[in-house]
Structure formats: structure tokens, C-alpha cells
């Protein structure tokens, strides 16, 4: 096999939720447990941190990995989906998995895994766990793919669990209410493993508290002990944070929502310190060292880990920003940021998946913008003409375009240097946009 042939096998010969939707989803851990047994439980060869949540889990996972890296750990990072290249999903200290490893695993291990008919995500998760073990990582940050309880990653017993937040998403699989979805995400809780909850309403706390009591999990609600006292956007991009104990540092990831992510990350870091991690950064004697390492991590997340698509500035004059926010929880923040954008004309290139809460998302979109309705490269994408019809119902003015590059080109052709172009609505829209720039 060549690397491309290995990818073709992964994407075309296995069930794939990202590509096929619900028909490609197979809940349950039986296949993962069987294959994990065959390969000698590779995830047990290193420590793990498990991260779930509706929004923010990508930013939190990458930032935690960055913080561990700057403190000298060899860090594995497993996330999904990728935007440009499959290899983005599996990294060690920011470096993507070797093409040769992917090819060899898919080609030479087929006699082992094919009888189990693993899904795309099961096979990729197994590959990641084995790759981290074969390359002797100290610790791996593992992002949940979908939900938590029945997610393929949930065979691990981590040293720390994190649930960033819960809002409506994947309702056809996880439940029609936030409480039902919270129950699925709470499925990553393990006995004697502390779990940091980034944010939760009273009704969600009731769910988390009940599951924690059943499993013997210590819950840490980040909102109850706010580490971040003040957060504000900087004129030239990024965020300025003022934290407890007199810490002041900057972060490169922008947006009001990043303040909550940062509070979650620092709460998680504190829990890790209690377990003996960052042992040379104990308070109060090393305040300056802690502050320096925090800023190195938070200001270099994209460089250290390869994170893309989180309010990412792609170019200026006109300003072009892309973001992968794709559900009502994300658009609660994105819509406010776009509405308040200082620009001559706001232009939004938007595509949404048909299994998302389209009405809820469209209702939040700023009416002052000019829209370029489009679709990402997936069968799950809502057709651009249909999306325009939804837009018309909410008073969103614009035209439809068959591909993301077509829509972006039209927006660029229409724009003046002091306009603002936003590209987003789904991971696939951002992926198509970034690929078109290569």
C-alpha cells in the first residue's frame, strides 16, 4: 500500500460517521476492547487525560497538551476530525504521525482487525494508542470523538477527566435534551479519577453529581473556583488574562468563549499539580516560572500542537477569519462576536450539516451581514440552495454557491480592504477553505 491507498481504505472500506452520518456510527466498546486485548493494552503504557464536551474540547485538549509540552513532557495528542490531512489527528509534541506508520499499520495488520469489522474511528483510535506506546510518550491527551459513554476512546482509565460543557448536538444519537446528552458525556467518569467540569447549569450538575456518586468520582466544578478573574481581547489579537495569585499572561486563541476554556485548562492543571505533575512549579516559590510557562503554552498553542480553525485569522485587508463552530452552543458566542465586529461590511461564508440544529443556528446569525451560502465536501452537508431558503426565512440576505472555494472567491471579489469575511458553520467548510489555500 501507498499512504494514499491506506487512506482510501480507511475512508472507503470502513464505516465512517463523519462521512456517512448515522449509518456509519456503531456505538459500543466490544470491538475496541477485543482489539485492545490483542495488542496488549497499548494505552496502559503511558498516562492519559480524557477530554469530552460539546464545545471547547479541541481548544482545551490542545492547550493542555501545550502546557505539558513546555514543562518538558513528551505528549501524545489524539483529536478529531482533521481539517486538511488525516495525520493531524495523531501527534506527538505537535508532530503528526508518520505516513509510513499509518501505511504499515493499515496494510500489515489487516488480518488482525478485519474480522472485527472496525469502524473508521475505532481503527484510528487503536492506531493512535499503539503509536503513542511505540513512541514512548509520557502522557497523552485523548479527545472524545462523540458523546463519551460509548465512544471508542472510553476504554482508557485516565489520571484526569475533563468535560468542558454540554449543549445540544448530535441529538439523533445522544439524546434530545441537554440532560440526556450530559449523561452520555458523564460516561467517561471513572472510579477514583477526578473529573473537571468546565461549565454546567443546575440541571446538568444534578446529572453529573448523580453519576459521580455512582462511580466514585471526585468532581471539580471550574466555575466554583474561578482561576481567571479578568479576560479581555487585545487590539492586535489574542487575549490578556488576569488570574488569581497575581498571575498575568497572554493567550493567542481569541474570543469570549476562550476565557471559559482557559479557566477549565488551569483548573485541570491545578488537579495535575496535586498529582505531582509540574512538580518544579509549586507555589509560592516559583511564581515567575509558572507565569512564564503558562504564557509560553497559551501564546504558542497553534505552533506547539498544530491547532487550526479556532477563530483563526487567515489574512488581512480584508480580514478573513475561519472557525469550526457548528452547533447552537458555539454560535451563542460566534454570533455576538460577529455582530460586534468593527468593519465596513460583514460577509459570512456559511455551510451547515443537515443533522445540526439549523433553525437554532440561523436564528442567531447577524442580519447586517451579506451571506454566501455553500456546503462542505461531505454527504452530510445541507445543500446550499436549501440553506439559502432557511436564510431567507430569517432575513439573511445573500446568494448560494456550490463549493466553499466558489463562495470564498465571491466574497473576496465583493470585499473592500476594510471588510470582514468569516468562513465557517462546520468543520468541513473550514477544511475545504484551508485546503483551497494550499
Amino acid at each position: 500500500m501507498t499512504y494514499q491507498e491506506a487512506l482510501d481504505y480507511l475512508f472507503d472500506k470502513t464505516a465512517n460517521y463523519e462521512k456517512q452520518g448515522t449509518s456509519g456510527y456503531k456505538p459500543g466498546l466490544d470491538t475496541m476492547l477485543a482489539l485492545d486485548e490483542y495488542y496488549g493494552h497499548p494505552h496502559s503504557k503511558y498516562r492519559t487525560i480524557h477530554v469530552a464536551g460539546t464545545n471547547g474540547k479541541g481548544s482545551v485538549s490542545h492547550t493542555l497538551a501545550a502546557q505539558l509540552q513546555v514543562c518538558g513532557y513528551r505528549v501524545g495528542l489524539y483529536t478529531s476530525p482533521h481539517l486538511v490531512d488525516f495525520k493531524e489527528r495523531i501527534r506527538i509534541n505537535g508532530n503528526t504521525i508518520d505516513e509510513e506508520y499509518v501505511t504499515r499499520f493499515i496494510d500489515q495488520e489487516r488480518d488482525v482487525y478485519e474480522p472485527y469489522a472496525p469502524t473508521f474511528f475505532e481503527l484510528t483510535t487503536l492506531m493512535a494508542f499503539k503509536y503513542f506506546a511505540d513512541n514512548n510518550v509520557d502522557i497523552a491527551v485523548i479527545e472524545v470523538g462523540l458523546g463519551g459513554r460509548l465512544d471508542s476512546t472510553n476504554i482508557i482509565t485516565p489520571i484526569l477527566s475533563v468535560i468542558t460543557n454540554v449543549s445540544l448536538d448530535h441529538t439523533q444519537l445522544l439524546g434530545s435534551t441537554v440532560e440526556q446528552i450530559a449523561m452520555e458525556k458523564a460516561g467517561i467518569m471513572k472510579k477514583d479519577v477526578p473529573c473537571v467540569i468546565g461549565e454546567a447549569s443546575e440541571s446538568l450538575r444534578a446529572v453529573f453529581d448523580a453519576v459521580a456518586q455512582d462511580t466514585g468520582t471526585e468532581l471539580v466544578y471550574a466555575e466554583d473556583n474561578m482561576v481567571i478573574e479578568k479576560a479581555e481581547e487585545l487590539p492586535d489579537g489574542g487575549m490578556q488574562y488576569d488570574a488569581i495569585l497575581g498571575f498575568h499572561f497572554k493567550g493567542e486563541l481569541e474570543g469570549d468563549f476562550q476565557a471559559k476554556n482557559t479557566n477549565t485548562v488551569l483548573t485541570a492543571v491545578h488537579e495535575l499539580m496535586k498529582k505531582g505533575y509540574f512538580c518544579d512549579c509549586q507555589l509560592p516559590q516559583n511564581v515567575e516560572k509558572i507565569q512564564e510557562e503558562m504564557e509560553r503554552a497559551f501564546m504558542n498553542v497553534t505552533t506547539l500542537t498544530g491547532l487550526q480553525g479556532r477563530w483563526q485569522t487567515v489574512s488581512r485587508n480584508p480580514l478573513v477569519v475561519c472557525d469550526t463552530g457548528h452547533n447552537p452552543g458555539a454560535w451563542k458566542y460566534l454570533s455576538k462576536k460577529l455582530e460586534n465586529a468593527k468593519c465596513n461590511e460583514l460577509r459570512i461564508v456559511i455551510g451547515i450539516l443537515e443533522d445540526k440544529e439549523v433553525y437554532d443556528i440561523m436564528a442567531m446569525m447577524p442580519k447586517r451581514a451579506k451571506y454566501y451560502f455553500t456546503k462542505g465536501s461531505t454527504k452530510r452537508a445541507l445543500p446550499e440552495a436549501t440553506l439559502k431558503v432557511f436564510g431567507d426565512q430569517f432575513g439573511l440576505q445573500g446568494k448560494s454557491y456550490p463549493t466553499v472555494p466558489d463562495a470564498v472567491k465571491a466574497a473576496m471579489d465583493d470585499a473592500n480592504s476594510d471588510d470582514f469575511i468569516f468562513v465557517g458553520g462546520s468543520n468541513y467548510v473550514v477544511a475545504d477553505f484551508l485546503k483551497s489555500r494550499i
Side-chain angles (χ1 to χ4, degrees):
M1 274 188 179
T2 64
Y3 174 63
Q4 186 56 54
E5 287 171 339
L7 293 186
D8 291 342
Y9 179 93
L10 269 171
F11 284 98
D12 298 334
K13 304 297 183 183
T14 63
N16 185 344
Y17 171 74
E18 291 174 17
K19 186 175 180 180
Q20 301 167 249
T22 54
S23 65
Y25 177 66
K26 184 180 75 175
L29 302 178
D30 291 347
T31 298
M32 277 300 299
L33 289 169
L35 289 170
D36 180 62
E37 174 77 23
Y38 177 87
Y39 284 103
H41 313 291
H43 60 86
S44 66
K45 307 296 193 297
Y46 44 87
R47 309 287 174 82
T48 55
I49 299 170
H50 208 186
V51 183
T54 304
N55 294 300
K57 65 179 185 290
S59 296
V60 167
S61 295
H62 283 78
T63 308
L64 270 174
Q67 186 70 65
L68 288 160
Q69 283 175 232
V70 301
C71 291
Y73 295 99
R74 183 169 171 80
V75 185
L77 177 61
Y78 179 52
T79 60
S80 61
H82 65 273
L83 292 177
V84 177
D85 188 333
F86 170 83
K87 300 193 300 294
E88 297 167 21
R89 295 168 179 259
I90 305 170
R91 296 177 181 268
I92 297 176
N93 281 12
N95 299 310
T96 60
I97 187 172
D98 301 327
E99 289 187 3
E100 189 272 337
Y101 191 98
V102 175
T103 304
R104 186 175 68 250
F105 181 86
I106 296 301
D107 190 20
Q108 297 182 6
E109 303 295 325
R110 288 172 65 175
D111 289 344
V112 174
Y113 62 72
E114 279 190 340
Y116 295 93
T119 65
F120 171 92
F121 192 71
E122 287 171 334
L123 199 53
T124 303
T125 302
L126 181 67
M127 185 194 307
F129 289 173
K130 189 172 185 300
Y131 183 70
F132 295 152
D134 289 346
N135 286 273
N136 301 310
V137 303
D138 299 314
I139 190 167
V141 180
I142 307 297
E143 181 189 72
V144 168
L146 194 158
R149 181 176 64 93
L150 300 177
D151 188 75
S152 300
T153 63
N154 203 28
I155 64 171
I156 65 175
T157 299
I159 59 171
L160 179 69
S161 303
V162 179
I163 301 174
T164 58
N165 54 46
V166 178
S167 64
L168 292 177
D169 199 11
H170 302 295
T171 52
Q172 72 279 23
L173 298 173
L174 301 180
S176 58
T177 68
V178 289
E179 290 79 13
Q180 290 172 336
I181 296 171
M183 182 68 75
E184 291 300 313
K185 296 188 186 299
I188 69 169
M189 293 182 189
K190 304 290 193 304
K191 180 176 174 57
D192 297 327
V193 176
C195 180
V196 171
I197 307 294
E199 55 179 318
S201 64
E202 288 303 315
S203 66
L204 296 185
R205 286 187 181 221
V207 173
F208 291 139
D209 289 344
V211 175
Q213 184 173 1
D214 288 343
T215 57
T217 301
E218 175 194 356
L219 289 187
V220 181
Y221 288 103
E223 291 176 307
D224 289 351
N225 298 285
M226 292 296 290
V227 180
I228 299 299
E229 296 181 329
K230 183 180 178 181
E232 59 183 359
E233 295 189 24
L234 296 170
D236 296 330
M239 301 285 291
Q240 173 68 51
Y241 295 107
D242 297 337
I244 59 173
L245 303 177
F247 287 111
H248 308 282
F249 64 99
K250 297 177 182 177
E252 66 172 326
L253 302 183
E254 295 182 51
D256 296 340
F257 42 88
Q258 291 300 343
K260 292 193 175 183
N261 290 339
T262 297
N263 194 65
T264 302
V265 170
L266 294 183
T267 303
V269 167
H270 183 252
E271 291 301 309
L272 291 171
M273 290 175 69
K274 287 160 61 175
K275 288 178 168 290
Y277 290 81
F278 315 110
C279 57
D280 60 340
C281 295
Q282 299 299 317
L283 293 169
Q285 62 269 32
N286 287 318
V287 172
E288 290 185 6
K289 181 177 177 61
I290 296 173
Q291 184 162 287
E292 176 192 346
E293 292 188 340
M294 283 167 59
E295 184 150 319
R296 280 177 57 204
F298 280 84
M299 276 302 293
N300 297 283
V301 174
T302 57
T303 301
L304 289 167
T305 68
L307 178 64
Q308 297 185 86
R310 272 62 173 187
W311 199 260
Q312 178 181 347
T313 299
V314 178
S315 63
R316 300 184 183 274
N317 301 319
L319 178 63
V320 181
V321 170
C322 64
D323 193 280
T324 57
H326 56 271
N327 55 44
W331 274 95
K332 181 175 70 173
Y333 295 101
L334 288 174
S335 60
K336 292 178 183 176
K337 193 166 178 64
L338 290 170
E339 189 67 64
N340 295 328
K342 294 180 174 62
C343 59
N344 174 55
E345 186 84 47
L346 175 61
R347 303 179 185 277
I348 296 180
V349 176
I350 186 75
I352 301 176
L353 300 183
E354 61 183 2
D355 53 5
K356 300 301 177 182
E357 291 72 23
V358 181
Y359 277 101
D360 292 339
I361 294 172
M362 300 293 272
M364 288 186 276
M365 290 188 174
K367 291 180 171 54
R368 74 180 181 102
K370 180 176 181 181
Y371 285 84
Y372 301 76
F373 301 105
T374 188
K375 65 177 183 296
S377 297
T378 172
K379 292 180 180 178
R380 295 167 57 204
L382 196 68
E384 68 277 12
T386 304
L387 188 59
K388 183 182 181 305
V389 171
F390 283 120
D392 291 342
Q393 294 179 35
F394 288 95
L396 308 181
Q397 302 301 312
K399 297 180 180 179
S400 60
Y401 300 85
T403 71
V404 172
D406 288 337
V408 172
K409 182 180 184 304
M412 292 293 291
D413 288 345
D414 292 344
N416 295 319
S417 60
D418 53 355
D419 286 355
F420 179 13
I421 299 174
F422 175 83
V423 182
S426 85
N427 287 288
Y428 300 96
V429 170
V430 174
D432 287 355
F433 171 51
L434 294 177
K435 289 174 185 176
S436 71
R437 296 178 51 82
I438 296 176

